[in-house]
Amino acid sequence: LDAADGATPVAVAGASTTAKLVQCAAAHDVALMLPYIMDRFDAKWKTKVAALDMLSALAKRSDLAQGMNSVMPVLAEPLVMCAMDTHPKTSVAAKAAMDTVVATINNVETQKLKDDLVAAVTRGGEAAADCLAKIMELTFVNAIGAPSLALFVPAIVRGLKETRSNAVAMNAAMCAVNIFGLVQDPRQIRPFLPVLVPTLTDSAKNSTHPDVR
């Protein structure tokens, strides 16, 4: 991936090697490859785009869906940050990667809300308010697992931090109760507690509105 910023023959060789790695990868390899890929999210834009393209290629393989789902709690937030990158080619590559990665999540409700969930985190404000309202309106009939929580939790946290609107913060808190009520295995929540608990605690202590508390 680092070869993407190098001389053309080296870049071509790097791209060829990346393609072969994607072709040979097994589901359990995704977690092993992810730290290497994510390290390149802080590199120069060409390397960053190459890393995002590799991620997209992995996500497009249907047989790697389980492996991709296993890394969603770690991957989702950095991927959203890449989508907010100021370089247009990076943001385009990140959004394409986000679409392919999220498509691997086997949850109907998550698929319905995916664009709203991403917008809530990347744009905040009205986008966060609209997303939380849609979550409240939607009838959930399926259990929620860690891959879906990787999208829901950042949106909920963003809503809880919208201190300018008690209504948004209240909806965020109610969404947290409703969404986590759909989690069948409590261990699925564990990766998100370091971010979620302090935010909920801060809202409970500092909000001026009793309904939010």
Side-chain angles (χ1 to χ4, degrees), residues 51-206:
L52 291 164
D53 287 346
M54 183 178 185
L55 188 63
S56 291
L58 289 167
K60 287 177 182 176
R61 283 187 49 188
S62 59
D63 58 322
L64 299 184
Q66 184 175 355
M68 195 61 63
N69 279 198
S70 71
V71 301
M72 277 297 293
V74 177
L75 176 62
E77 186 173 355
L79 197 52
V80 168
M81 293 301 104
C82 285
M84 299 169 66
D85 196 279
T86 55
H87 197 290
K89 290 189 177 180
T90 300
S91 61
V92 168
K95 288 171 184 174
M98 177 69 77
D99 287 343
T100 53
V101 168
V102 172
T104 67
I105 300 175
N106 185 23
N107 181 275
V108 174
E109 291 80 15
T110 302
Q111 294 302 326
K112 287 181 180 178
L113 294 166
K114 61 182 180 182
D115 292 336
D116 299 293
L117 291 165
V118 173
V121 179
T122 57
R123 290 161 48 197
E126 295 244 348
D130 290 344
C131 176
L132 293 168
K134 289 180 180 179
I135 294 173
M136 295 292 291
E137 292 169 1
L138 186 63
T139 300
F140 286 77
V141 296
N142 298 288
I144 294 290
S148 293
L149 289 175
L151 295 179
F152 280 99
V153 169
I156 290 170
V157 168
R158 186 62 185 259
L160 288 168
K161 291 181 177 179
E162 290 288 336
T163 55
R164 294 169 295 179
S165 172
N166 286 321
V168 173
M170 185 167 63
N171 274 352
M174 292 175 66
C175 283
V177 173
N178 294 338
I179 292 299
F180 288 117
L182 295 166
V183 178
Q184 294 182 340
D185 183 354
R187 291 174 297 180
Q188 301 279 304
I189 303 175
R190 191 175 300 161
F192 310 100
L193 294 180
V195 173
L196 187 64
V197 171
T199 307
L200 285 169
T201 302
D202 185 64
S203 294
K205 286 182 178 179
N206 300 322

